[in-house]
Amino acid sequence: MTEKFLKAKHWQLFLLTFGIPMIFQFVMMGTMFANIGSGNNPDPSSMFISYMKLFPIMMILFMGVFFGWFWSVVTGLQKKIPDEAQMKLNRFKIFFFIPLVYILFFSIFIGGAMGGFADGFNAPNPGIIGGMIAVIFPLHLFSMFCIFHSLYFVAKTFKTAELKRKVSFSDFAGEFFLIWFYPIGIWIVQPKINKIIKE
């Protein structure tokens, strides 16, 4: 699977991470507005909630490709890095899996909550909502930190494999921001990865 990510074209990765979810959203919104405009007069909030049940599927697809690409770049390019510039992967692996687990549980929770609202469950107690926010907020911040660490490590691995030497942040700052702004950066970074793999 790693080889497939590394050899994939930039447009393929873009289509999987942003193209399909955008098309899904356009179809969803178009269907909602078409139903509202028809004589059926459905309840827009119930339609929105029923569509939100599909949120976990779209989020898991997006994150699967996004994090799969991260993993493939870091692990797949290690063989292109000289021995004196080898990087330790243990911390990357820990910080890599924390946001994956968090996002998976969060997506399932949102999908289940929307399903519960659609089935007519009563609104939860405000104390429960406050407690959930108190737990989710720090987890969310820590998950964001882990994602930024992964961005940093992916950019460093890529630049180390490209330059065949140890690098500092100034060497790969451009790649870090390109990977951060993935919809734009993938068009620039992925062709270079394809070239490294072919060499």
Side-chain angles (χ1 to χ4, degrees):
M1 196 64 168
T2 298
E3 289 292 320
K4 289 183 179 178
F5 274 111
L6 295 176
K7 292 180 179 178
K9 300 299 181 188
H10 44 74
W11 62 268
Q12 293 170 326
L13 293 172
F14 179 84
L15 187 66
L16 285 172
T17 50
F18 289 93
I20 292 173
M22 283 173 55
I23 291 169
F24 172 76
Q25 287 183 348
F26 287 140
V27 169
M28 180 188 78
M29 295 304 289
T31 305
M32 282 178 60
F33 288 127
N35 285 333
I36 291 170
S38 68
N40 299 335
N41 292 327
D43 181 17
S45 62
S46 66
M47 289 179 60
F48 175 75
I49 289 172
S50 64
Y51 281 120
M52 282 300 290
K53 289 180 184 179
L54 300 174
F55 172 79
I57 298 168
M58 297 308 298
M59 184 58 97
I60 289 168
L61 171 68
F62 169 77
M63 297 312 291
V65 175
F66 191 60
F67 279 90
W69 184 77
F70 277 12
W71 182 267
S72 298
V73 170
V74 170
T75 59
L77 292 183
Q78 290 302 311
K79 58 190 174 188
K80 303 287 184 179
I81 294 175
D83 291 338
E84 65 273 9
Q86 283 294 320
M87 298 157 54
K88 296 178 181 176
L89 300 181
N90 291 336
R91 186 170 57 183
F92 165 77
K93 290 177 180 178
I94 293 168
F95 285 169
F96 175 83
F97 284 108
I98 289 171
L100 269 183
V101 172
Y102 169 74
I103 291 167
L104 178 65
F105 281 117
F106 186 74
S107 300
I108 292 170
F109 170 76
I110 291 293
M114 290 299 167
F117 289 136
D119 294 337
F121 290 163
N122 293 328
N125 186 323
I128 294 173
I129 294 175
M132 288 170 48
I133 290 172
V135 171
I136 289 174
F137 185 70
L139 284 175
H140 194 75
L141 290 178
F142 184 61
S143 179
M144 288 173 57
F145 167 78
C146 292
I147 291 171
F148 275 106
H149 180 271
S150 296
L151 289 172
Y152 170 88
F153 210 88
V154 169
K156 185 175 182 179
T157 302
F158 163 69
K159 203 63 179 181
T160 304
E162 186 179 46
L163 298 179
K164 308 290 186 195
R165 61 173 173 83
K166 288 186 176 181
V167 294
S168 61
F169 184 72
S170 60
D171 293 318
F172 62 89
E175 285 75 13
F176 173 80
F177 287 106
L178 285 172
I179 294 169
W180 184 0
F181 298 100
Y182 185 85
I184 298 166
I186 195 64
W187 298 88
I188 300 166
V189 174
Q190 187 65 17
K192 293 180 180 179
I193 291 174
N194 294 155
K195 185 178 177 183
I196 292 171
I197 292 300
K198 285 179 182 177
E199 288 175 354

Coordinates of all heavy atoms in Angstrom, one line a residue, residues 13-29 50-67 100 103-104 106-108 110-111:
L13 N -4.6 11.7 -5.6 CA -4.6 12.0 -4.2 C -5.6 13.1 -3.9 O -6.4 13.1 -3.0 CB -3.3 12.3 -3.7 CG -2.3 11.1 -3.7 CD1 -0.9 11.6 -3.3 CD2 -2.7 10.0 -2.7
F14 N -5.5 14.2 -4.8 CA -6.4 15.3 -4.6 C -7.9 14.9 -4.8 O -8.8 15.3 -4.0 CB -6.1 16.4 -5.6 CG -7.0 17.6 -5.5 CD1 -6.7 18.6 -4.6 CD2 -8.1 17.7 -6.4 CE1 -7.6 19.7 -4.5 CE2 -9.0 18.8 -6.3 CZ -8.7 19.8 -5.3
L15 N -8.2 14.0 -5.8 CA -9.5 13.6 -6.0 C -10.1 12.8 -4.8 O -11.2 12.9 -4.4 CB -9.6 12.7 -7.3 CG -10.9 12.3 -7.8 CD1 -11.7 13.5 -8.2 CD2 -10.8 11.3 -8.9
L16 N -9.2 11.9 -4.3 CA -9.7 11.1 -3.1 C -9.9 11.9 -1.9 O -10.8 11.6 -1.1 CB -8.6 9.9 -2.9 CG -8.6 8.8 -3.9 CD1 -7.4 7.9 -3.6 CD2 -9.9 8.0 -3.8
T17 N -9.0 12.9 -1.6 CA -9.2 13.6 -0.4 C -10.1 14.8 -0.5 O -10.8 15.1 0.5 CB -7.8 14.1 0.1 OG1 -7.2 14.8 -1.0 CG2 -6.9 13.0 0.6
F18 N -10.2 15.4 -1.6 CA -11.1 16.6 -1.7 C -12.1 16.5 -2.8 O -13.2 17.0 -2.6 CB -10.2 17.9 -1.9 CG -9.4 18.3 -0.7 CD1 -8.2 17.8 -0.6 CD2 -10.0 19.1 0.3 CE1 -7.4 18.2 0.6 CE2 -9.3 19.4 1.4 CZ -8.0 18.9 1.5
G19 N -11.8 15.9 -3.9 CA -12.8 15.8 -5.0 C -14.1 15.1 -4.7 O -15.2 15.6 -4.8
I20 N -13.9 13.9 -4.1 CA -15.1 13.0 -3.8 C -15.9 13.7 -2.7 O -17.1 13.8 -2.8 CB -14.7 11.6 -3.5 CG1 -14.1 10.9 -4.7 CG2 -15.8 10.8 -2.9 CD1 -13.5 9.6 -4.5
P21 N -15.3 14.1 -1.6 CA -16.1 14.8 -0.5 C -16.8 16.0 -1.1 O -18.0 16.3 -0.7 CB -15.1 15.1 0.6 CG -14.0 14.1 0.4 CD -13.9 13.9 -1.1
M22 N -16.2 16.8 -1.9 CA -16.8 18.0 -2.5 C -18.0 17.6 -3.4 O -19.1 18.3 -3.3 CB -15.8 18.9 -3.3 CG -14.9 19.7 -2.4 SD -13.6 20.5 -3.3 CE -14.4 21.5 -4.4
I23 N -17.9 16.6 -4.2 CA -19.0 16.2 -5.0 C -20.1 15.7 -4.2 O -21.3 16.0 -4.4 CB -18.5 15.1 -6.0 CG1 -17.5 15.6 -7.0 CG2 -19.7 14.4 -6.7 CD1 -16.8 14.6 -7.9
F24 N -19.8 14.9 -3.1 CA -20.8 14.4 -2.2 C -21.6 15.6 -1.6 O -22.8 15.6 -1.5 CB -20.2 13.6 -1.1 CG -21.1 13.2 0.0 CD1 -22.1 12.2 -0.2 CD2 -21.1 13.9 1.2 CE1 -22.9 11.9 0.8 CE2 -21.9 13.5 2.2 CZ -22.9 12.5 2.0
Q25 N -20.9 16.7 -1.2 CA -21.5 17.8 -0.6 C -22.4 18.5 -1.6 O -23.5 19.0 -1.2 CB -20.5 18.8 0.0 CG -19.9 18.2 1.3 CD -18.9 19.2 1.9 OE1 -18.6 20.2 1.3 NE2 -18.5 19.0 3.2
F26 N -21.9 18.7 -2.8 CA -22.8 19.3 -3.8 C -24.0 18.5 -4.1 O -25.1 19.1 -4.2 CB -22.0 19.5 -5.1 CG -20.9 20.6 -5.1 CD1 -19.7 20.4 -5.7 CD2 -21.1 21.8 -4.4 CE1 -18.7 21.3 -5.6 CE2 -20.2 22.7 -4.3 CZ -18.9 22.5 -5.0
V27 N -23.9 17.2 -4.2 CA -25.1 16.4 -4.4 C -26.0 16.4 -3.2 O -27.3 16.6 -3.4 CB -24.6 14.9 -4.6 CG1 -25.8 13.9 -4.6 CG2 -23.9 14.8 -6.0
M28 N -25.5 16.4 -2.0 CA -26.3 16.5 -0.8 C -27.1 17.8 -0.7 O -28.3 17.8 -0.5 CB -25.4 16.3 0.4 CG -26.2 16.4 1.8 SD -25.1 16.4 3.2 CE -24.6 18.2 3.1
M29 N -26.4 18.9 -0.9 CA -27.0 20.2 -0.9 C -28.0 20.4 -2.0 O -29.1 20.9 -1.8 CB -26.0 21.3 -0.9 CG -25.0 21.4 0.3 SD -25.9 21.5 1.9 CE -26.5 23.1 1.8
S50 N -30.2 13.6 8.7 CA -30.1 12.3 8.0 C -28.9 12.2 7.1 O -28.2 11.2 7.1 CB -31.4 11.9 7.2 OG -31.5 12.9 6.2
Y51 N -28.5 13.3 6.5 CA -27.3 13.4 5.7 C -26.1 13.4 6.6 O -25.0 12.8 6.2 CB -27.3 14.6 4.8 CG -28.1 14.5 3.6 CD1 -29.2 15.4 3.3 CD2 -27.9 13.5 2.6 CE1 -30.0 15.2 2.2 CE2 -28.6 13.4 1.5 CZ -29.7 14.2 1.3 OH -30.4 14.1 0.2
M52 N -26.2 13.9 7.8 CA -25.0 13.9 8.7 C -24.7 12.5 9.2 O -23.6 12.3 9.7 CB -25.3 14.9 9.9 CG -25.1 16.3 9.6 SD -23.4 16.7 9.0 CE -22.5 16.6 10.5
K53 N -25.6 11.6 9.1 CA -25.3 10.2 9.4 C -24.2 9.7 8.6 O -23.5 8.8 9.0 CB -26.5 9.3 9.3 CG -27.6 9.6 10.3 CD -28.8 8.6 10.0 CE -29.9 8.9 11.0 NZ -31.1 8.0 10.7
L54 N -24.0 10.2 7.4 CA -23.0 9.8 6.5 C -21.6 10.5 6.7 O -20.6 10.2 6.1 CB -23.4 10.0 5.0 CG -24.7 9.3 4.6 CD1 -25.0 9.8 3.2 CD2 -24.5 7.8 4.6
F55 N -21.6 11.4 7.7 CA -20.4 12.2 8.0 C -19.2 11.3 8.4 O -18.1 11.5 7.9 CB -20.7 13.2 9.1 CG -19.5 13.9 9.7 CD1 -18.9 14.9 9.0 CD2 -18.9 13.4 10.9 CE1 -17.8 15.5 9.5 CE2 -17.8 14.0 11.4 CZ -17.2 15.1 10.7
P56 N -19.5 10.2 9.2 CA -18.3 9.4 9.6 C -17.7 8.7 8.4 O -16.5 8.6 8.3 CB -18.9 8.4 10.5 CG -20.1 9.0 11.1 CD -20.7 9.9 10.0
I57 N -18.5 8.3 7.4 CA -18.0 7.6 6.2 C -17.0 8.6 5.4 O -15.9 8.2 5.1 CB -19.1 7.1 5.3 CG1 -19.9 6.1 6.1 CG2 -18.6 6.5 4.0 CD1 -21.2 5.7 5.5
M58 N -17.5 9.8 5.2 CA -16.7 10.8 4.5 C -15.5 11.1 5.2 O -14.4 11.3 4.6 CB -17.6 12.0 4.1 CG -18.8 11.7 3.3 SD -18.3 10.9 1.7 CE -17.2 12.0 0.9
M59 N -15.6 11.3 6.5 CA -14.4 11.7 7.3 C -13.4 10.6 7.4 O -12.2 10.8 7.3 CB -14.9 12.0 8.8 CG -13.7 12.5 9.6 SD -12.9 14.0 9.0 CE -13.7 15.3 9.8
I60 N -13.8 9.3 7.5 CA -12.9 8.2 7.5 C -12.2 8.0 6.2 O -11.0 7.8 6.1 CB -13.6 6.9 7.9 CG1 -14.0 7.0 9.4 CG2 -12.8 5.7 7.7 CD1 -15.0 6.0 9.9
L61 N -12.9 8.3 5.1 CA -12.3 8.2 3.7 C -11.2 9.3 3.6 O -10.1 9.0 3.2 CB -13.4 8.4 2.6 CG -12.9 8.6 1.2 CD1 -12.2 7.3 0.7 CD2 -14.0 9.0 0.3
F62 N -11.6 10.5 4.0 CA -10.6 11.6 3.9 C -9.4 11.4 4.7 O -8.3 11.4 4.3 CB -11.3 12.9 4.3 CG -10.3 14.1 4.4 CD1 -9.8 14.7 3.4 CD2 -9.9 14.5 5.7 CE1 -8.9 15.8 3.5 CE2 -9.0 15.5 5.9 CZ -8.5 16.1 4.8
M63 N -9.6 11.0 6.0 CA -8.5 10.8 6.9 C -7.7 9.6 6.5 O -6.5 9.5 6.8 CB -9.0 10.7 8.3 CG -9.6 12.0 8.9 SD -8.7 13.5 8.5 CE -7.3 13.3 9.6
G64 N -8.4 8.6 6.0 CA -7.6 7.4 5.6 C -6.6 7.7 4.5 O -5.5 7.2 4.6
V65 N -7.0 8.4 3.5 CA -6.1 8.8 2.4 C -5.0 9.8 2.9 O -3.8 9.6 2.7 CB -6.9 9.4 1.2 CG1 -5.9 9.9 0.2 CG2 -7.8 8.4 0.6
F66 N -5.5 10.8 3.7 CA -4.6 11.8 4.2 C -3.5 11.2 5.1 O -2.3 11.4 4.8 CB -5.4 12.9 5.0 CG -4.7 14.1 5.3 CD1 -4.1 14.9 4.3 CD2 -4.6 14.5 6.6 CE1 -3.5 16.1 4.7 CE2 -3.9 15.7 7.0 CZ -3.4 16.5 6.0
F67 N -3.9 10.5 6.1 CA -2.9 9.9 7.0 C -2.2 8.7 6.3 O -1.0 8.4 6.7 CB -3.6 9.4 8.3 CG -3.8 10.5 9.3 CD1 -4.9 11.3 9.2 CD2 -2.8 10.9 10.2 CE1 -5.1 12.4 10.1 CE2 -3.0 11.9 11.1 CZ -4.1 12.7 11.0
L100 N -5.5 9.8 14.8 CA -6.4 8.8 14.0 C -7.4 8.2 14.9 O -8.6 8.1 14.5 CB -5.5 7.7 13.5 CG -4.9 7.9 12.1 CD1 -4.1 6.6 11.7 CD2 -5.9 8.1 11.1
I103 N -10.0 11.0 15.9 CA -10.9 11.4 14.8 C -11.9 10.3 14.5 O -13.1 10.5 14.2 CB -10.1 11.8 13.5 CG1 -9.4 13.1 13.8 CG2 -11.0 11.9 12.3 CD1 -8.3 13.4 12.8
L104 N -11.5 9.0 14.6 CA -12.4 7.9 14.4 C -13.5 7.9 15.4 O -14.7 7.8 15.0 CB -11.6 6.6 14.4 CG -12.4 5.3 14.3 CD1 -12.9 5.2 12.8 CD2 -11.5 4.1 14.5
F106 N -14.5 10.4 17.3 CA -15.3 11.6 17.2 C -16.3 11.5 16.0 O -17.4 11.9 16.1 CB -14.3 12.8 17.0 CG -15.0 14.1 17.0 CD1 -15.5 14.7 18.2 CD2 -15.2 14.8 15.8 CE1 -16.1 15.9 18.2 CE2 -15.9 16.1 15.8 CZ -16.3 16.6 17.0
S107 N -15.8 11.0 14.9 CA -16.7 10.8 13.7 C -17.8 9.9 14.0 O -19.0 10.1 13.7 CB -15.9 10.3 12.5 OG -14.9 11.2 12.2
I108 N -17.5 8.8 14.7 CA -18.6 7.8 15.0 C -19.5 8.4 16.0 O -20.8 8.3 15.9 CB -17.9 6.5 15.6 CG1 -17.2 5.8 14.5 CG2 -19.0 5.6 16.2 CD1 -16.4 4.6 15.0
I110 N -20.3 11.7 16.4 CA -21.1 12.7 15.6 C -22.2 11.9 14.8 O -23.4 12.3 14.8 CB -20.3 13.6 14.7 CG1 -19.4 14.5 15.6 CG2 -21.1 14.4 13.8 CD1 -20.1 15.5 16.4
G111 N -21.8 10.9 14.1 CA -22.8 10.1 13.3 C -23.8 9.5 14.2 O -25.0 9.5 13.9

